[in-house]
Amino acid sequence: MYKILSLDGGGSWAILQLLTLKERYKDEIPELNGHAILKQFDMVIANSGGSIVLCALAEDWTIDKALTLFDDKSIRESIFSENSFWETFWPVSITKMFSFGPKYSSSRKYEAFRKLFPKAHKMTMDDLPDFIGKPSLKLIVCTFDALNNRAKFFRSYTPNNATEEFVPLTKAIHGSSNAPVQYFDFPARIKADKTNIWYYLWDGALGGFNNPVVAGIIEAFRLSIPLDDITVISLGNANKLMSKAQKDRFYQVRSITIKERKKKLLFWRYKFQFEFFKETVMNQAKTILFQPPDWANYVGLMFLSKSISDDIENRFIRLSPIIHIDKNTNPLVIELLDKLYSMDMDLTKDEEIDLLKECFLKWRDGKIKNQPIEFSVTRENELMYSKGDEYFSEGLKKWKRI
C-alpha cells in the first residue's frame, strides 16, 4: 500500500490539520513527534498553510509545539507581519484605507521561517528523507512561478531521473505560502541550490493546487505506483460555501448597481457600486487562492477509480469541515458558523484562533459536517451529499483501518 498525505493551503486555518493529526495518532504515537508521523506515509504533498505544517513535522516538532505556530500571537504576527504606510507601494498606500490590497511583508515572512525552522533551513529537500528516517519518503511543495505563469513543484527527489534543482524546505514553503492580491506584497525571491536560477514565487494555489491531492496522485503514478496500491488522506482547512446572508446581500447590491450605474451625480449612492466592484474583484481573487477543493478531490477519486479495486472510497479519505448553514444544520453551531463565515485566512487574533479550535471540536463531535467529495446545493441552500464522508468520525474510522 502506497500512502499519500495531502495538505491543503489555508493560512491560519491549517491549525485544523494539526488538530486532526493529533486526534488520529494520539493513541499510536505517544510523543506525537513530526518524524514519526511523516514515516506513516510514502509521500507528503502540501501547499501554503499545509506546507508550513509539513515543515514543522520535518523539523521534528511535536504536534503541541507545532500548534504554537498558530497559538502564539508573536509567531503568527511574525509570519503575517503587517507593512506600515511607508512600506507599501502605490496605489496600495491608498487602497489599504478601503481594506483592499496586500498587507504583509513577504521578506519578513521568510525571516520568520528561517528562524523557526533552523534544521530544515540548513539542508536541502533531498536531504530530508534521510533526516526524517525514511529514505524512500517523497516530499513535494507546490508553488507558482511568477515569471513563467505556471505551477512549480519543489521535490525531495528527481522524478523520472530528470534534473531537479533542490532548495531548503524553508524557501519552498516561503514561496508556497506567498498568497498575492490581498495578503503578501512581493513574490518570494529564492535561488535554487548549486545553480544560478532565481525564482519569483507566489502561492501554489495560483497554479490550481490549493488542494494538491490530484498532483500527489499523478506524482505517484509517474513513479510507477500501481493505482490499486494508492491510498490518499486529504486534509483540508475548511471549505466555505456562500451563506444565505451573503447571497442576499449580493443580490441586493447587484440590483442597486444595475439601476444606479447611470446616475453619475448621486455621489452618496456610489457606495453600492463600489461595494459591488470590490466584492467582484475580491471574489475572483479568492476563487483563485481558495479554488473549491471539491474539484481536486473528485478528479482524484475518479482517477483512482480506473483501478480494478472496488473499495476506492475506503482508500480516498477527505477530512475537512464544511462551513455551511441549511435546514439540517445543528442549531447549537449556527452562531459559530456565522462567525467562521466572516473570517479570512490571515488570522492573527487569539479569539479567532479560539474559534478555529472550537470549529475543530464541533466538527470532530459531528455537530459540524465534513466536506463532501461530490455534492450539490439545492435552490433552498440545502447541501446534498453524493460521495464522501458526512461526518469526521466516519472518515477517521476508515483512516484507522488502513
Side-chain angles (χ1 to χ4, degrees), residues 239-242 247 291-298 301 318 320-324 326 369-378 381-390:
N239 181 213
K240 293 182 188 178
L241 300 185
M242 188 178 282
K247 290 179 180 180
Q291 87 276 11
D294 319 285
W295 81 267
N297 294 317
Y298 182 72
L301 187 69
R318 172 66 174 179
S320 184
I322 187 157
I323 310 304
H324 178 71
D326 62 21
K369 290 190 176 182
N370 189 53
Q371 179 204 336
I373 291 176
E374 183 185 7
F375 68 96
S376 60
V377 181
T378 69
N381 211 40
E382 184 180 353
L383 182 66
M384 306 296 289
Y385 280 69
S386 299
K387 288 184 172 63
D389 298 305
E390 192 169 353

Side-chain angles (χ1 to χ4, degrees), residues 151-290:
K152 170 65 183 173
F153 294 172
F154 290 98
R155 303 174 177 87
S156 63
Y157 61 100
T158 54
N160 298 335
N161 298 315
T163 301
E164 179 74 6
E165 61 282 286
F166 295 112
V167 300
L169 186 54
T170 46
K171 290 186 177 181
I173 72 168
H174 176 40
S176 184
S177 63
N178 209 44
V181 184
Q182 190 69 353
Y183 306 103
F184 291 97
D185 51 4
F186 295 105
R189 181 175 182 264
I190 71 169
K191 185 175 181 292
D193 192 53
K194 299 178 182 178
T195 74
N196 290 319
I197 301 174
W198 286 89
Y199 286 103
Y200 292 80
L201 303 170
W202 289 120
D203 191 304
L206 271 69
F209 296 105
N210 194 54
N211 176 351
V213 67
V214 170
I217 293 170
I218 292 173
E219 284 287 308
F221 186 70
R222 288 178 67 194
L223 293 169
S224 301
I225 306 300
L227 291 181
D228 285 305
D229 291 348
I230 296 175
T231 297
V232 178
I233 308 297
S234 174
L235 301 185
N237 293 312
N239 181 213
K240 293 182 188 178
L241 300 185
M242 188 178 282
S243 69
K244 188 175 187 305
Q246 289 171 324
K247 290 179 180 180
D248 291 342
R249 181 63 178 174
F250 172 83
Y251 295 139
Q252 178 191 21
V253 173
R254 173 188 172 276
S255 298
I256 293 172
T257 299
I258 289 173
K259 289 178 182 178
E260 299 189 351
R261 57 187 165 173
K262 295 182 180 180
K263 300 175 182 179
K264 304 298 184 186
L265 299 180
L266 298 180
F267 304 113
W268 58 92
R269 300 287 290 179
Y270 278 9
K271 65 177 183 178
F272 294 103
Q273 296 179 49
F274 179 78
E275 180 180 343
F276 182 73
F277 172 76
K278 177 186 170 185
E279 289 304 313
T280 299
V281 172
M282 291 303 299
N283 178 267
Q284 295 307 306
K286 290 183 179 180
T287 296
I288 295 170
L289 289 172
F290 297 106

Side-chain angles (χ1 to χ4, degrees), residues 35-46:
H35 286 186
I37 291 172
L38 289 175
K39 283 190 282 190
Q40 305 301 308
F41 301 93
D42 300 289
M43 175 183 289
V44 183
I45 184 166

